[in-house]
Amino acid sequence: MQWALNFALPDQHTLIFIFSFLAIILLAKLLAFATDELLLRVGQTPAGLTNVKLGNAVELIISIIALTKYELPIVRSSRGFHADDHVNARLTLQLVIGSILSTLLLVLSMCFFAGGLRFSEQGLRHVAAQLNYSLLTISVIGVLLPGAIYMALQGSTSLSESDVDDQILKISHAVTIILPFGEATPLPACPDHPVFLDQLALFIGERVRRLARQSKSHDSILLDRVVDNLSTLANYFRDIFRNQHAIVHVKEAIKPYRYVPQFRPAGHLSLASSLHDLPQCLADRYRHQPTEADLDEAIALEQDALRLLTPGDSGHDISRRCLMAYLRLKISSQLATSASDVTHCDIKQVVRDITFETLKTMPTRLLHTDSGSLCNRDMQISQFISSQQYKQLLSSCAACDSAQQMELIRAEVSRYFQYAMLSHRWSAGEPLFRDVEGSQIYDMSTNGGLGKLQAFCLVASERGYLWAWSDTCCIDKESSAELQEAIGSMFLWYRRSALTIVYLFDVPDTGSFVNSEWFRRGWTLQELLAPPSILFYTRTWSLYKNVTSSNHKADFAVLEELERVTGVESQFLTNFSPGMEDTRSRLQWASLRATARPEDIAYSLFGIFNLHLPIMYGESAENALGRLLSEIILRSGDISVLDWVGEPSSFHSCFPAHVTSYQRLPSPPPQSISEEPEMMLYAEQPASSTTLRTLYRSLTKLPLPRFLNRRLILPCITYRVTEMQRRMTSPSTRNYTYRTMASGLRPLEIALPEKLDVTMSRGALLLARPWYSKLLCPFANLHTMTEEQLLFTLEQPFNALLLTELPHNEYRRIASSNLITAQAVDSASILQRKVRILDIV
């Protein structure tokens, strides 16, 4: 600014004087900074430091005295000026500024001279190096350029000596204004910047080690200050990296960061922070140039830092989060290496591992359709390794990158092990596991079931499948563990099969499968629902009705026929999901089927409901079905399983003895108005909002139904039976019909398979409305229903349970011969009901 004003406003002497004086202060600060650089090289030598400081002080004092008295004859005589005092003052300041600039250059040159005597390599800190670079450039350009112009103008006859001096002075002013803008470019742009920084780190490290070996107290203080400055320098490089994302700056930060913890004594307040800084840089370098050693070192250092901190310290949580981040980074890198970096592994081993992984989801044993041999998993892998597909896979992997290799291996292994499943009606002479073990089925007799098994394998082979599965010989039924696994996994095996072949031995080539025995067997229900692709074959192994589609489920005519014969809607036939949705419908499908062993009817439904329960052959059918139904209630709370008509189970009074009780029920007989005078009293009186709100809250807080220790914990709304009158019926009728009156319900009729005990009808009977929100409104959420919507729902007819009260506040269901359909008298009777949780045995 001083030079700019001197150039732009030469007559403003006072203003120029002020800025010149300020320039002296700034230059003095820079001189002190340069002296610190010298101090790092020669140490605190009192003589050298005192000489430098006193020399600067004396020079400033003399300059100030000269300013006050204007005694600068050397300036005046050298320039030849005869100006007034203001000009003399300005020239005096220029002399002082020039003197300090000269001193700066001298001190900086002494830094290099002294450092060169003590160290083989050295460098300056960033600011000092920039200062030296700038001052040298200013000196060279500011002196040589005006000097060259002076020599050029010296021989001119048109200019006087004073004019030449004035022109040189103006050129010097211009140069000093322009140069700072040229010097604004930071030194790191220089090509030698990385080399310079390496030298700087080495120099400072050597200096810090020398200070660390000294034991004087003042040197210890200096060491602490130097280490602090070293940490600041490293932080500077790390900030540059975060802004510019150049990996070179991370490397520059790591070198000084390594020195800092070495010279922090144990117990130092900044030791944990110093240990925390270096891992961050190592992790940054790992993310750009993954090296396992960097990540391991970062984890070890962060663990050391965390041990120095206690919970509650300011840096404890930060350090712990960083450590967790480094550990997650290591785990993810190991997973990536093991999962995708196949180039560093044995491809053959990877193929073998993926093959094992694929076979775990498949049946344990499969028939090899080309040879007719029964193969366990080891034999399946051997077949694959000796195949041409395996050799082609290895050859293809050599030309792929790691990600493509994994994808290719999985696809080829899955394609090789595609398998077909057989679904059929068992008959006499079926070949078992021991019959075909170690043999080739094509070499065996064609009698009985062997001929069927051979034909199945041939059809599968013709369809392009190398592997096939049949429930006759592919399960060792002598092993209870294997049988348990097979029954529990069979639904998934059919679901994952490439094709399920259904053999209908009782359907001629031109006939219909409507009357086939296959549709009345229990196990075949899941074999129909699970497979995505299915083909029906007739007695002579011809495609059903010569439909050449690759999937009969995709043929509209066959699908429509399947829907009629099974009662299963087409949406479930083509896109069935195992689980406990539509529980009542699934039980109804099974009610039309039977199994050779009574308990199998329940076992065959385990996969359809996605349940895994123990298989206990020898238990009763009632017990097996009871375990299934209780598990459904326990997991889903679905009480639609209570809607049945027939004989009660010994397992529990709320369950039927046979699955046939779930067959489609006839509509209840209409009730005449003459028999129900109360219907005319259906009150359209407004319901009490307070009472309705109380009922609403009671229902929303009810738990789901539960089944524990053979006890059904059932939330419900109860109605006390006040009267049951037996009606006279035809002698041929095997049921006992009772006209029933219950408090809050319209009159209704109940048919019972046995005559009701008279003593029971005197206040010991209840009609219960089981509470399950989805049963009442399948597509609504109780919490989103308004109170009026809930009241409207409760006014609709419902299926009731007839219960008799037992001692100890327990209840037992009385099985009926028809569905008990009840309805509330009016809204007032609904609001008067109490919500109860009954314990039913």
Side-chain angles (χ1 to χ4, degrees), residues 423-459:
S423 178
H424 63 115
R425 169 76 165 90
W426 275 54
S427 58
E430 295 287 355
L432 303 179
F433 169 70
R434 300 300 177 190
D435 299 327
V436 301
E437 184 184 20
S439 304
Q440 294 183 347
I441 62 171
Y442 298 134
D443 297 336
M444 302 174 71
S445 170
T446 59
N447 295 332
L450 274 171
K452 176 171 58 177
L453 184 62
Q454 293 164 352
F456 160 64
C457 289
L458 289 174
V459 169

Side-chain angles (χ1 to χ4, degrees), residues 304-600:
D304 291 341
L306 198 58
R307 278 192 287 267
L308 296 175
L309 299 168
T310 57
D313 290 346
S314 58
H316 181 272
D317 291 341
I318 297 175
S319 182
R320 182 173 54 82
R321 285 196 296 269
C322 288
L323 178 59
M324 295 302 102
Y326 304 152
L327 291 173
R328 280 193 293 269
L329 192 62
K330 182 172 183 177
I331 293 172
S332 62
S333 65
Q334 291 174 346
L335 291 176
T337 300
S338 62
S340 60
D341 196 6
V342 183
T343 57
H344 298 295
C345 305
D346 183 359
I347 293 181
K348 292 183 179 180
Q349 184 60 43
V350 173
V351 173
R352 190 177 184 87
D353 293 341
I354 293 179
T355 303
F356 270 116
E357 179 184 335
T358 302
L359 292 179
K360 286 180 181 178
T361 64
M362 296 168 49
T364 307
R365 296 183 181 84
L366 291 171
L367 287 162
H368 191 257
T369 58
D370 285 355
S371 63
S373 57
L374 183 63
C375 300
N376 58 23
R377 285 177 178 166
D378 289 336
M379 297 171 65
Q380 294 165 27
I381 293 175
S382 297
Q383 289 280 353
F384 176 51
I385 293 176
S386 61
S387 68
Q388 190 65 28
Q389 293 94 320
Y390 176 78
K391 297 176 183 178
Q392 292 177 354
L393 176 59
L394 296 181
S395 177
S396 300
C397 285
C400 300
D401 59 31
S402 57
Q404 292 173 333
Q405 284 175 349
M406 297 297 293
E407 184 177 352
L408 178 63
I409 292 171
R410 294 185 187 279
E412 290 300 320
V413 170
S414 297
R415 185 179 298 111
Y416 179 84
F417 285 104
Q418 285 184 322
Y419 61 95
M421 301 276 283
L422 174 64
S423 178
H424 63 115
R425 169 76 165 90
W426 275 54
S427 58
E430 295 287 355
L432 303 179
F433 169 70
R434 300 300 177 190
D435 299 327
V436 301
E437 184 184 20
S439 304
Q440 294 183 347
I441 62 171
Y442 298 134
D443 297 336
M444 302 174 71
S445 170
T446 59
N447 295 332
L450 274 171
K452 176 171 58 177
L453 184 62
Q454 293 164 352
F456 160 64
C457 289
L458 289 174
V459 169
S461 181
E462 290 170 357
R463 289 273 169 183
Y465 300 107
L466 189 61
W467 303 99
W469 185 88
S470 170
D471 58 353
T472 57
C473 62
C474 293
I475 304 174
D476 183 6
K477 297 178 178 62
E478 296 179 5
S479 170
S480 58
E482 184 173 336
L483 183 61
Q484 173 85 29
E485 179 188 1
I487 293 176
S489 306
M490 200 172 296
F491 184 92
L492 291 179
W493 291 349
Y494 275 98
R495 170 57 58 90
R496 291 169 179 159
S497 66
L499 175 67
T500 292
I501 295 173
V502 179
Y503 176 62
L504 306 175
F505 76 98
D506 52 355
V507 177
D509 292 346
T510 59
S512 172
F513 59 31
V514 172
N515 297 318
S516 175
E517 186 72 16
W518 187 84
F519 291 104
R520 293 192 289 272
R521 306 309 302 172
W523 286 106
T524 58
L525 177 59
Q526 70 173 358
E527 295 165 14
L528 171 67
L529 297 172
S533 182
I534 196 169
L535 289 176
F536 291 94
Y537 283 83
T538 62
R539 179 186 303 154
T540 60
W541 287 95
S542 300
L543 279 171
Y544 179 64
K545 290 187 176 180
N546 293 320
V547 177
T548 58
S549 171
S550 60
N551 182 11
H552 282 161
K553 284 187 176 182
D555 185 88
F556 179 76
V558 177
L559 187 62
E560 192 176 45
E561 198 171 359
L562 282 173
E563 191 172 2
R564 287 198 307 270
V565 71
T566 61
V568 180
E569 298 177 14
S570 59
Q571 64 185 25
F572 295 110
L573 291 171
T574 57
N575 190 26
F576 180 79
S577 297
M580 281 167 275
E581 296 294 329
D582 303 297
T583 299
R584 186 61 178 77
S585 298
R586 300 180 189 206
L587 291 170
Q588 186 176 339
W589 302 337
S591 67
L592 304 172
R593 298 170 178 263
T595 54
R597 301 186 69 156
E599 60 268 40
D600 270 343

Side-chain angles (χ1 to χ4, degrees), residues 718-729:
T718 59
Y719 301 86
R720 179 69 62 179
V721 174
T722 58
E723 183 179 356
M724 293 190 73
Q725 295 180 355
R726 181 182 172 188
R727 294 183 55 182
M728 299 303 298
T729 57

